[in-house]
Amino acid sequence: MPKKNERTIIAHFPSSTRAKAAADALAAVGLTDNHIRRNTRFGISQDDVHSDPVSNLAETLTGLTVYSADTPNDENRAARVLMGADPSVSGYSARGYGLAGGYAFTLVAFVPDERVNEAVRIIEQNKGFV
């Protein structure tokens, strides 16, 4: 949450790795109040444990792609089918497709007024769009 004499910077990224790189670069210069969020059209949240294909813990295809692992299996089966049929599952919607900012990941950073230009430069160096 921004404090007095702080600005909120909202940047959009095509991938979580680019957003994380920007957050890490900001943290390296002491700007640590950063938050990365996955934008979806489904109001679901990321669950790293169930969405991790490396450890063989993925419950569903949509858990890997639209981060729907937190969606109960029996709550609304029709919604799960529609999520699986969504173009974002195939990766064809990396840009645009009805997402806030046009990209799938958003970085929100709270920075002091005097460091806004520095933070924006770091974000843009990491392929973010402010």
Side-chain angles (χ1 to χ4, degrees), residues 12-33:
H12 304 286
F13 292 84
S15 72
S16 61
T17 53
R18 288 185 179 174
K20 177 137 177 38
D24 290 346
L26 290 168
V29 297
L31 301 171
T32 58
D33 197 357

Side-chain angles (χ1 to χ4, degrees), residues 11-14 18 22 120 122-130:
H12 304 286
F13 292 84
R18 288 185 179 174
V120 168
I122 290 170
I123 289 167
E124 289 175 344
Q125 287 171 346
N126 285 280
K127 310 297 185 207
F129 298 90
V130 178

